Amino acid sequence: MRDSSSKAPLPDAASFSAAPAIAAEAAAWLSYLAGERRASRHTVEAYRRDLAAFLAFLTEHLGARPGAAELQALQPADLRAFLAKRRRDGLESRSLLRALAAVRNFLRFLEKKGLARADVFGAVRPPKRPHSLPKALTVTDARDIVDPAQRAGEAREPWVIARDAAVLALLYGAGLRISEALSTARDAAPVGAADRVTILGKGGKSRTVPVIAPVRAAIEAYLALCPYELAGGPLFVGARGGPLSPRIVQLAVERLRGALGLPDSATPHALRHSFATHLLGKGGDLRTIQELLGHASLSTTQIYTAVDKARLLDAYRSAHPRAAD
């Protein structure tokens, strides 16, 4: 279910350094992304920051708040200067690519109204996309991090420890994003004979994923201990009975990292990566994994073939007698 409380208020035109007409169009564009395009709150906020930075740059670069005439007269050199400025500000290639995409998207929005031109991007070479691979846990570490017994002795109520274990079990056992796990309704909980859960993923797309017995058992253990009445509300709640914050789950994993001696890359999202990597390592096909993860494109899922190949190469180099020759 979609959490309507996660929708952040959109900025008004006054928050953009541009001529009034363009500033109003900027606010309208963000509303279009959140409404018709159903972009996530995080995507809309990131694009808002990128566009605000671009318009502020143009104001300084051109010596005046940009209007339609200035946007129609943009040259490739202007965009390159913007990227160079953002690079000096400390943005890495991934963030620069997103900023470029945000500006291009906005100018195309304006181009349909005759207020700008977007063909200027054809002469701008985008930053190289980084080839960082997802960091998956080993099977043993993934099992340990979802095992509530690893937190025995913590000064926390048993139901809180059981709750965290149930959330982490869903991330690793069903490949959910943390936002998807925390938006699951109590009435849709995969318990008993209900061996699957339907969630609303990125872009408002619904998918149904199977939930294996150990994950269902973890959820049932949490429900048996939870002191709150959950019917009609979210499955996972915080200490006071309200919706559970992702930060609480992240802090729980940080404590587990210290106790288990795991690297900083061991995060809640790493459990989703581990789900995909371990399935692939056991012979799962990419199309099935794509559907389970809710990826719109198979190319997004294919990154896990590189993860699995890297794991195999590491095992070979550490174990084969001739690997060091």
Side-chain angles (χ1 to χ4, degrees), residues 141-152 161 165 168-169 256 260:
D141 288 342
R143 285 176 173 169
D144 285 345
I145 210 168
V146 302
D147 182 1
Q150 298 293 337
R151 297 177 66 183
I161 291 178
L168 298 178
L256 280 164
L260 299 173

Side-chain angles (χ1 to χ4, degrees), residues 258-324:
L260 299 173
L262 300 178
D264 290 345
S265 58
T267 64
H269 199 63
L271 289 170
R272 175 173 155 90
H273 294 320
S274 303
F275 165 83
T277 303
H278 297 166
L279 278 184
L280 186 63
K282 288 292 186 178
D285 67 276
L286 279 176
R287 284 290 182 188
T288 300
I289 296 172
Q290 176 193 1
E291 292 180 10
L292 291 172
L293 293 174
H295 286 162
S297 169
L298 184 62
S299 62
T300 306
T301 314
Q302 283 175 330
I303 191 172
Y304 291 104
T305 62
V307 175
D308 195 56
K309 189 179 298 181
R311 180 186 61 80
L312 292 174
L313 285 173
D314 285 344
Y316 167 78
R317 293 186 181 114
S318 63
H320 197 283
R322 299 295 301 275

Side-chain angles (χ1 to χ4, degrees), residues 206-246:
S206 175
R207 74 182 190 279
T208 300
V209 297
V211 181
I212 55 178
V215 178
R216 300 201 303 275
I219 296 172
E220 290 166 359
Y222 153 64
L223 290 175
L225 294 172
C226 182
Y228 296 104
E229 173 58 49
L230 302 177
L235 172 59
F236 299 110
V237 296
R240 298 182 179 179
L244 181 61
S245 165

